[in-house]
Amino acid sequence: MSSVRPLFVVAGIGNGSGTGAATARLFAKSGYRVALISRGPEYLNKLATEISQAGGEAAAFPLNDYTTPSIKSAFAALKSHWPSSPLRVAVFNAGYGVWKPFLDITEDEVRESIDTNILAAFAFSREALLEFTKLELETANEGGVAGNARKRGTLIFTGATASIRGNVLTSAFSASKFGIRALSQSLAKEFAKQNIHVAHSIIDGGIITDRTKSHHNNPSWEADQDVRLDPNSIAKSYLHLVEQDSSAWTWEIDLRPAHEKW
């Protein structure tokens, strides 16, 4: 394979059945080297092996936690692993959710929510943007999908319904998701003049994953694409964001199944 190929990095792949993993698979098929950052080395290594066996290139960079030093170390490792590949796409998909009545939420849960959903997003964004700002505009001969889009890189954040609306059990989760949305908007405005595209995606509905299949235990729900989001379809929307040229950029998209009440 060519020594010069664009690099895609995603933080947060869970057990490999959700949005982060689906996006990694799609970008690998689209010509990117894929760096996987997440807690849980077992799932990371399994996904990296799967992508490589399917003809792509992927490497796992497991974290003990989502602290700033851990994220900096992961970026240093992925740059050392692929020194000739320019980082062109970064997706922050990590998250921590707590759904409880306000008076039942513990200080540790609030801290974990802030650390994972806000502080980690800041650290991830900083490392990605430091790389983007070093680059010239992407060219078609790199092999990515944004060769004619006049951009240095694309940074995408995965949000949720709680990013724009609080609810009775989402005080801690919404507070941190609001924070990510505000961060993404601020970065979009600050870095657009450097042809760096920052986008935020509101996932407004349930995604079909191993966890939600177990939770619903309902084959009809699984089979009905009108009532749940498919992570592969979310990944296609992320790819479209990267393909957008500088004359018509999206900052925020909201994705929901056809029959979702909103």
Side-chain angles (χ1 to χ4, degrees):
M1 291 188 175
S2 169
S3 60
V4 180
R5 296 178 66 201
L7 179 60
F8 165 93
V9 59
V10 57
I13 62 104
N15 72 350
S17 66
T19 300
T23 307
R25 294 184 185 100
L26 181 58
F27 275 84
K29 292 176 183 177
S30 301
Y32 291 79
R33 289 173 168 143
V34 171
L36 305 168
I37 297 176
S38 193
R39 291 179 286 202
E42 177 186 353
Y43 294 123
L44 276 180
N45 290 326
K46 182 180 178 181
L47 180 59
T49 299
E50 175 197 327
I51 289 172
S52 298
Q53 290 178 344
E57 282 189 81
F61 302 92
L63 303 175
N64 291 325
D65 50 47
Y66 279 108
T67 60
T68 297
S70 293
I71 291 172
K72 289 183 70 172
S73 178
F75 269 83
L78 67 89
K79 287 185 287 185
S80 176
H81 188 78
W82 286 303
S84 64
S85 290
L87 177 62
R88 293 298 187 181
V89 184
V91 175
F92 186 78
N93 187 66
Y96 173 82
V98 52
W99 292 269
K100 286 183 177 181
F102 176 72
L103 296 178
D104 293 341
I105 298 172
T106 67
E107 182 180 347
D108 286 343
E109 288 170 332
V110 174
R111 184 176 293 108
E112 179 69 16
S113 183
I114 292 171
D115 286 350
T116 304
N117 296 331
I118 297 180
L119 294 180
F122 268 83
F124 182 86
S125 301
R126 179 176 175 80
E127 295 302 313
L129 289 165
L130 282 170
E131 290 304 304
F132 292 163
T133 55
K134 295 175 185 176
L135 301 174
E136 300 297 327
L137 297 178
E138 185 173 347
T139 59
N141 62 15
E142 286 182 22
V145 301
N148 298 311
R150 288 193 53 79
K151 60 172 69 174
R152 288 186 165 87
T154 305
L155 171 61
I156 300 172
F157 297 87
T158 299
T161 310
S163 301
I164 57 171
R165 185 172 69 245
N167 214 324
V168 291
L169 300 180
T170 67
S171 53
F173 186 53
S174 288
S176 58
K177 282 296 187 180
F178 267 66
I180 291 178
R181 183 174 187 257
L183 171 65
S184 72
Q185 187 178 58
S186 298
L187 296 179
K189 293 181 178 183
E190 180 176 352
F191 288 92
K193 289 183 174 59
Q194 298 182 55
N195 287 70
I196 294 170
H197 185 185
V198 180
H200 179 255
S201 173
I202 297 169
I203 306 300
D204 186 23
I207 305 171
I208 185 168
T209 65
D210 289 347
R211 182 178 62 83
T212 57
K213 286 178 184 178
S214 176
H215 173 73
H216 284 274
N217 192 26
N218 183 347
S220 295
W221 178 84
E222 293 179 27
D224 189 354
Q225 71 176 27
D226 291 339
V227 300
R228 82 295 186 276
L229 289 125
D230 187 325
N232 296 307
S233 298
I234 297 171
K236 291 175 185 177
S237 292
Y238 285 11
L239 185 70
H240 173 64
L241 288 172
V242 176
E243 292 173 333
Q244 288 181 341
D245 68 62
S246 61
S247 73
W249 279 1
T250 297
W251 162 58
E252 186 167 73
I253 58 172
D254 53 349
L255 302 173
R256 63 181 61 85
H259 294 182
E260 182 74 17
K261 182 179 179 180
W262 63 292

